[in-house]
Amino acid sequence: LKCRYGVGPLGFAAMGGMGGIEDFLGLAGVSGACGMALVALLSVLDAQFSMSTMHGFAQGLVLLFCALICLQGETRLFYSYHEAVQENFGFALKPAGRGSTYFLASLYCIGARGAVVAEEAARETSHSSAFSFFWYSCCLAMLIGGASSFWTWRTERRSALFQANSGGDLDAYYISS
């Protein structure tokens, strides 16, 4: 994500505000990763009140791990771990992989919270509306991050196809074979 002013620490334009759709898509992707990390934290906070404490902690740990991997794919923030992520979790470096991760995680979290709320309603106990609001807001951020990652993947793919069909660099074809 580049602009005429340079690139900041998270990969966004350092000055000049939002420069275009690329900056917005990058910001939406980072918000998806941050939303996943916040849901992981909320999952751990909710684990002490649920029946299966270990399930809540495992769910939070997996969501946090996926959030950090996707954050690395979005921003390249952790330079020392980039090779390990590239070698073991290559899906996080591709926009389609991050989009799939955001969508699957958000759908899982929406279903998990719905099951908890339904269980509390069946037991006729109250649940926190504020907690559910934060939970579903983070799920919405993940859905938006997934949509932006798929949009980025689509535009990268279209531009690659246009370059290939226009015969832009014919020498690269012969050199690569």
Side-chain angles (χ1 to χ4, degrees), residues 4-153:
R4 63 183 176 171
Y5 297 109
V7 176
L10 291 178
F12 301 113
M15 297 176 66
M18 299 297 278
I21 191 72
E22 293 87 14
D23 288 338
F24 172 74
L25 293 174
L27 186 62
V30 170
S31 72
C34 291
M36 193 183 306
L38 286 174
V39 166
L41 177 67
L42 291 173
S43 176
V44 169
L45 290 176
D46 193 38
Q48 64 183 348
F49 300 115
S50 69
M51 224 169 137
S52 176
T53 305
M54 195 61 169
H55 176 264
F57 284 127
Q59 176 179 316
L61 186 66
V62 168
L63 285 170
L64 182 65
F65 186 70
C66 288
L68 290 175
I69 289 173
C70 288
L71 187 64
Q72 172 64 21
E74 293 282 352
T75 63
R76 313 290 196 264
L77 190 60
F78 312 111
Y79 295 114
S80 59
Y81 296 110
H82 182 71
E83 288 183 26
V85 169
Q86 183 178 8
E87 204 170 295
N88 299 314
F89 306 103
F91 69 91
L93 299 178
K94 302 284 184 185
R98 290 190 303 270
S100 300
T101 304
Y102 294 146
F103 272 126
L104 288 174
S106 65
L107 293 177
Y108 173 78
C109 290
I110 288 170
R113 185 67 191 160
V116 168
V117 169
E119 179 184 339
E120 289 174 351
R123 284 189 284 147
E124 297 179 0
T125 59
S126 64
H127 63 277
S128 171
S129 298
F131 189 85
S132 293
F133 173 76
F134 287 128
W135 185 280
Y136 288 126
S137 297
C138 292
C139 291
L140 180 64
M142 284 189 281
L143 284 173
I144 291 171
S148 72
S149 292
F150 279 124
W151 185 267
T152 302
W153 170 73

